[in-house]
Amino acid sequence: MLYSIIIPAYDEVKELPATLAAIKTAMQAVPLGPGEIIVVDNNSSDPTAAVAKAEGADQVVFEPINQIARARNTGASAASGRYLIFVDADTRISASLLQQALSLLEAGTHVGGGSVVRFEGNINAIGRFGIGLWERISKLTQTAAGSFIFTLREAFEAVGGFDERLYASEEVRMTNRLKKWGRKQKLRFKIIEDAPALTSARKLEWYSSTQIIGYILLAPLSIYSRRLCAFWYKRP
């Protein structure tokens, strides 16, 4: 298997079908060898696993501890691809994004990377500000968002996978670890700018602007606590 697309999913009956449809469409349009889709049911209370099977996932695996770092690592353990691509369950990717990610890895010049992110649909002012700020940070520091991350399996295993001590910002730590490993191998880490991943803006509906700002400001102090990271785990 050339590549494995891993989707952590916790109570994602609503979003998962569109995500899987977009991934399958992208895979069919990209001729760079065989790929597989792995959905990780992260102890869902809804029929996420059944929906994943019905919508065409190649594998559905179970992770009992509700933590996104663990879910991603569990999916990677089940994967057989040389390249690992992590896509959030509420994120839609295009053929262009998949093609560019695989081409960078196939060229032997990159350890991995990510992409810029756009919210789907109309969003409020706090959403526009937040996504715009993250895009500037992502481009400037070449840091991947959790919505879309791709890497060599060799590199992923060498750095120990996602840090399971963290309940948030695990993608930032993974980015830094991959960059460090890549520098030793003379490999770069790249944020793809012209093929954004499209992600749901549902948190803007679930939480007020004040709550969102509060969670973001507290994030550096709360990433080791699931309770304090409720913004990423609670389904209102």
Side-chain angles (χ1 to χ4, degrees):
M1 195 69 65
L2 180 66
Y3 64 96
S4 301
I5 298 179
I6 298 160
I7 308 168
Y10 168 62
D11 286 357
E12 292 290 2
V13 165
K14 182 177 180 181
E15 295 287 344
L16 195 54
T19 294
L20 288 172
I23 288 173
K24 288 190 291 183
T25 297
M27 291 172 71
Q28 290 167 3
V30 174
L32 284 177
E36 63 179 349
I37 303 172
I38 300 173
V39 173
V40 184
D41 175 16
N42 197 194
N43 202 24
S44 298
S45 60
D46 68 8
T48 287
V51 168
K53 292 175 183 177
E55 296 295 331
D58 297 296
Q59 288 191 65
V60 179
V61 297
F62 182 70
E63 168 51 54
I65 298 176
N66 187 214
Q67 181 188 22
I68 193 162
R70 288 180 183 272
R72 287 175 171 150
N73 288 342
T74 295
S77 296
S80 58
R82 297 206 314 268
Y83 310 140
L84 303 178
I85 302 173
F86 298 90
V87 180
D88 278 355
D90 65 341
T91 298
R92 269 55 87 173
I93 67 170
S94 65
S96 176
L97 179 54
L98 180 60
Q99 173 80 52
Q100 290 188 58
L102 291 174
S103 295
L104 289 172
L105 296 175
E106 280 278 87
T109 55
H110 288 73
V111 63
S115 74
V116 296
V117 179
R118 297 281 189 275
F119 281 136
E120 292 179 320
N122 296 319
I123 58 174
N124 60 25
I126 191 69
R128 290 191 296 273
F129 173 79
I131 203 71
L133 177 61
W134 170 253
E135 181 171 332
R136 288 191 288 274
I137 293 172
S138 179
K139 290 178 179 179
L140 179 65
T141 64
Q142 293 294 287
T143 298
S147 305
F148 182 80
I149 306 172
F150 61 95
T151 185
L152 304 170
R153 172 189 282 278
E154 177 188 5
F156 181 86
E157 293 177 347
V159 303
F162 287 94
D163 191 337
E164 294 183 3
R165 295 173 299 171
L166 304 183
Y167 286 86
S169 298
E170 75 290 336
E171 73 275 22
V172 175
R173 185 157 298 177
M174 173 57 75
T175 293
N176 292 334
R177 287 177 169 179
L178 290 174
K179 284 180 180 178
K180 183 177 180 180
W181 187 89
R183 282 193 293 270
K184 294 178 181 178
Q185 316 300 323
K186 295 182 171 55
L187 299 173
R188 299 190 295 276
F189 189 94
K190 180 179 177 62
I191 299 301
I192 297 169
E193 299 183 13
D194 61 349
L198 300 179
T199 195
S200 165
R202 58 188 175 176
K203 288 186 176 65
L204 299 176
E205 300 174 1
W206 291 350
Y207 300 102
S208 69
S209 297
T210 301
Q211 287 175 308
I212 291 171
I213 292 170
Y215 276 124
I216 292 172
L217 292 176
L218 287 174
L221 304 175
S222 62
I223 57 176
Y224 294 97
S225 167
R226 186 182 185 282
R227 182 176 63 83
L228 295 177
C229 288
F231 179 74
W232 286 272
Y233 291 91
K234 184 179 178 182
R235 294 288 190 268

